[in-house]
Amino acid sequence: MIAVVAATGFPSAEWFASLSAHATSDPERLRTLGVADFRLAVEIVDTDGKVRTFGVIFDGYDITSAGEFSDPEVFGSEATLTGPIEAWQAMVANITEHGAADGLHTLNALSIADTPLKVVADDPMGRDKFFRYAETLQTLFDASGLVALART
Amino acid sequence: MVHQLRIGSRLIEEDVVTIATVDLGYIERAREGKFDLGWLRDSHAEWGIRARPSRVGLTLRDIAVGSYGEVPDHPPKRTMAPRGCDVDPDVPDMGYSINDKAEVWSDNVMELYEEAVSRQWSATRDIEWTELPELDADLEHAMCQLATVLSEVEMVAADFPAKWLWRINHDFVEAKMFLCTQVMDEARHTEVFRKRALAGGGGLGKAKAVVEQFLKVILDAQSYDEGSALMHLLAEGLVLSLFRAGELLSPSPVEKKIFRLCMQDEARHVAYGTMHLRYRLEREPALAPDFHAYLDRGEEIIAALFATPEVVEPTAILAAGSLKAAEEMGVGVSDILRTRMIEEYLARCDRAGLPRRGRMRLPEIILAGTSGGAEACVEGVAS
Ligand SMILES: [Fe+2]
Ligand SMILES: [Fe+2]
């Protein structure tokens, strides 16, 4: 399944753009979830320690990918969700397999003990936005399966 | 003009409108088209100040234009008149006791109100109750006990703002409106956990005196300051952490969704509480010792929850998958949860401008691994 994830181009700016596009393809669903206002950085640490950072912007009912950043400061994230690439790949693979994250692979489940993923923020209010928009964030990442479908 | 009025068995003397004070001649004049138009002639309304909708619609922030957006620190009147309108000089005094903006305001309150309205959900419609699986008896007991505790504690977070709402000056209407959304949120939380306890056949579990004692402390708070610190910052912060744990430990996607949706609401309440306290202390830093005292007391009582089987054991059983497995594993998950709760609470206290690291006065067995106690600071855990 990890190979399937790799075939989808994860992680890349294109993958996150596709994720956002799929997640917002049903505007009514996002309207039902309600407005959000959040700049989330997604940090993926490769096996060689190299860090890649992607930005996602939640604005009202919209979710847009802000691409990849060499300097995360430029993006001005309110919180960063960080973890090793294996954990991210396992999450995407799980979602691809089940259509949505199973109980052990939701964003909250993966980050609650700070491992394998961790929510990092200078400001606890930024960190708490990770919980304030939990359902919207999960809806975004549950679209991972649709990215895989579109690419394979 | 003061009048004597009999209402039922009560005889009251008040400066109120009665039919005797009404200008009945006006009805006749109006019939003839002889309008008064004083409301138009003497208006100080900001004619031409037009509020424009933003991307998601016309928000409270969008209508905070001109003088209408100015929230006075100390309103000159205690009236229900909409802030910014022309007010009749004879309006009665509503008797509000919270008349300083800093007592209830937070800089994020307008956004939180809009978010709350936008992100409402239904415990009847949005939870897939028919997909609730038949659980092993241990898990169903544990889930039902957790649901019982949550259904019990949620309603105080409606009762507390409701108790204080009518005392808040109407010029702080955005803060009042936000608290109204909290009342609705908490009603739904009470509802959804009561429904969960009953939907799986396990029924309601046990309510403990220690839990009720903490709820009473919030409800009996002598000031909004005290109650808000205890509830919005301390109690709801801990409940938010508990919801996070609930999402992880839930035996089925049905409960996971319940916890995620509740988590969202709870994080709004905590965001208000944290930023409200910050707003309050920035303007009145001399109140810090009072707030520390409120939290000293609250932390002591809430710490008792960490030693309450009805709270600790359901999470341990849900984490382990069965009572037998939980007995073998102990309450490791509860330890992680406790550490998490305390650290998240301490970070919010820092943000609110009321640092509590190193000054929590709780037993070592509760503060171990956290930066709450004095020793932790010495050892550098706080850094
Ligand atoms: Fe609640
Ligand atoms: Fe709450």
Side-chain angles (χ1 to χ4, degrees):
Chain A
M1 188 52 79
I2 299 297
V4 172
V5 174
T8 65
F10 178 87
S12 65
E14 293 73 29
W15 189 89
F16 277 95
S18 179
L19 182 73
S20 303
H22 283 293
T24 53
S25 63
D26 180 3
E28 204 42 49
R29 165 90 177 121
L30 289 175
R31 286 184 79 83
T32 305
L33 290 173
V35 295
D37 172 23
F38 190 31
R39 294 175 82 86
L40 175 72
V42 176
E43 196 178 85
I44 298 161
V45 184
D46 214 334
T47 45
D48 59 3
K50 191 174 163 234
V51 176
R52 297 181 70 179
T53 308
F54 302 88
V56 184
I57 300 169
F58 300 81
D59 179 14
Y61 304 115
D62 283 343
I63 306 173
T64 50
S65 167
E68 185 169 4
F69 292 88
S70 51
D71 179 5
E73 292 284 305
V74 174
F75 175 57
S77 68
E78 293 169 276
T80 300
L81 185 59
T82 182
I85 191 162
E86 300 86 356
W88 285 105
Q89 285 173 328
M91 182 193 81
V92 173
N94 179 270
I95 291 169
T96 306
E97 189 178 345
H98 297 102
D102 74 5
L104 295 175
H105 291 85
T106 62
L107 295 171
N108 177 63
L110 291 169
S111 64
I112 189 169
D114 285 351
T115 181
L117 301 185
K118 184 175 183 175
V119 187
V120 182
D122 293 335
D123 182 347
M125 290 300 94
R127 178 183 161 79
D128 283 353
K129 281 190 176 185
F130 190 74
F131 317 128
R132 255 164 76 184
Y133 307 129
E135 192 68 0
T136 306
L137 286 162
Q138 195 59 56
T139 298
L140 170 68
F141 280 93
D142 278 352
S144 302
L146 299 173
V147 178
L149 275 177
R151 293 287 292 262
T152 52
Chain B
M1 190 185 294
V2 176
H3 291 268
Q4 275 200 338
L5 277 180
R6 179 168 292 284
I7 301 176
S9 60
R10 284 187 302 141
L11 186 66
I12 56 170
E13 225 173 54
E14 269 185 8
D15 184 9
V16 292
V17 174
T18 70
I19 199 65
T21 67
V22 172
D23 174 11
L24 294 173
Y26 169 75
I27 298 173
E28 202 55 49
R29 294 195 299 280
R31 272 188 192 142
E32 294 164 8
K34 293 173 184 161
F35 292 153
D36 176 80
L37 296 182
W39 55 273
L40 189 58
R41 200 169 41 246
D42 304 328
S43 170
H44 296 94
E46 291 204 53
W47 184 256
I49 292 289
R50 192 185 299 261
R52 310 247 177 224
S54 50
R55 289 184 63 202
V56 295
L58 189 65
T59 67
L60 288 182
R61 185 62 70 189
D62 297 332
I63 63 164
V65 290
S67 64
Y68 301 121
E70 292 165 15
V71 183
D73 289 329
H74 309 287
K77 283 195 162 58
R78 300 191 293 189
T79 152
M80 286 182 184
R83 189 184 65 231
C85 77
D86 291 321
V87 186
D88 194 326
D90 297 331
V91 288
D93 186 318
M94 294 299 175
Y96 298 134
S97 59
I98 295 181
N99 295 295
D100 289 344
K101 181 182 176 186
E103 285 183 89
V104 289
W105 199 257
S106 72
D107 283 332
N108 56 359
V109 78
M110 291 188 200
E111 286 72 20
L112 289 173
Y113 171 78
E114 293 289 351
E115 192 176 304
V117 172
S118 178
R119 296 183 78 85
Q120 291 293 300
W121 51 279
S122 160
T124 302
R125 180 196 62 213
D126 297 328
I127 305 300
E128 288 77 17
W129 294 109
T130 55
E131 292 171 25
L132 200 62
E134 187 82 18
L135 294 178
D136 168 83
D138 287 356
L139 291 179
E140 184 61 26
H141 274 305
M143 196 64 231
C144 286
Q145 179 56 39
L146 185 59
T148 302
V149 172
L150 290 171
S151 192
E152 178 183 18
V153 303
E154 289 299 322
M155 198 45 119
V156 80
D159 286 343
F160 170 78
K163 175 179 172 179
W164 288 88
L165 260 167
W166 72 267
R167 305 170 199 226
I168 299 172
N169 193 297
H170 195 86
D171 273 12
F172 315 137
V173 68
E174 293 90 343
K176 296 182 80 154
M177 288 159 66
F178 170 73
L179 292 174
C180 290
T181 68
Q182 178 172 10
V183 171
M184 186 61 231
D185 290 345
E186 306 300 2
R188 188 172 51 247
H189 297 178
T190 302
E191 172 197 2
V192 79
F193 289 112
R194 187 174 180 83
K195 284 182 172 174
R196 172 57 192 89
L198 299 180
L204 290 160
K206 193 164 192 172
K208 288 290 284 185
V210 62
V211 176
E212 295 284 320
Q213 279 159 5
F214 182 68
L215 303 183
K216 188 166 167 55
V217 168
I218 293 174
L219 204 55
D220 289 351
Q222 294 301 299
S223 65
Y224 186 82
D225 277 346
E226 180 183 358
S228 175
L230 288 171
M231 192 190 76
H232 289 121
L233 186 65
L234 174 60
E236 297 195 284
L238 298 190
V239 167
L240 172 56
S241 303
L242 192 55
F243 286 164
R244 287 197 71 197
E247 202 264 1
L248 171 68
L249 305 178
S250 288
S252 86
V254 179
E255 290 100 356
K256 281 184 192 296
K257 188 171 182 186
I258 291 173
F259 280 110
R260 271 204 303 277
L261 290 171
C262 288
M263 192 193 302
Q264 300 190 138
D265 299 340
E266 215 58 44
R268 279 196 304 275
H269 310 157
V270 174
Y272 163 76
T274 307
M275 298 313 284
H276 161 56
L277 182 55
R278 185 177 181 85
Y279 191 93
R280 182 77 165 129
L281 287 174
E282 277 174 350
R283 281 146 190 86
E284 291 207 50
L287 290 175
D290 291 347
F291 280 103
H292 277 304
Y294 304 146
L295 293 175
D296 282 343
R297 182 167 174 237
E299 287 163 9
E300 215 167 285
I301 301 172
I302 216 158
L305 298 179
F306 294 125
T308 301
E310 285 76 5
V311 178
V312 173
E313 292 173 10
T315 52
I317 293 168
L318 289 170
S322 70
L323 174 58
K324 191 168 185 306
E327 284 170 339
E328 283 163 11
M329 288 167 61
V331 291
V333 168
S334 301
D335 285 342
I336 294 171
L337 175 60
R338 178 179 45 74
T339 311
R340 181 54 29 119
M341 281 176 166
I342 293 173
E343 286 304 322
E344 288 179 349
Y345 163 66
L346 290 170
R348 291 187 197 107
C349 288
D350 287 345
R351 185 69 170 91
L354 194 76
R356 300 277 300 161
R357 289 181 205 280
R359 63 172 297 156
M360 292 179 82
R361 301 189 211 140
L362 299 178
E364 172 60 20
I365 195 165
I366 289 173
L367 291 181
T370 75
S371 52
E375 273 181 38
C377 263
V378 174
E379 290 165 13
V381 177
S383 62

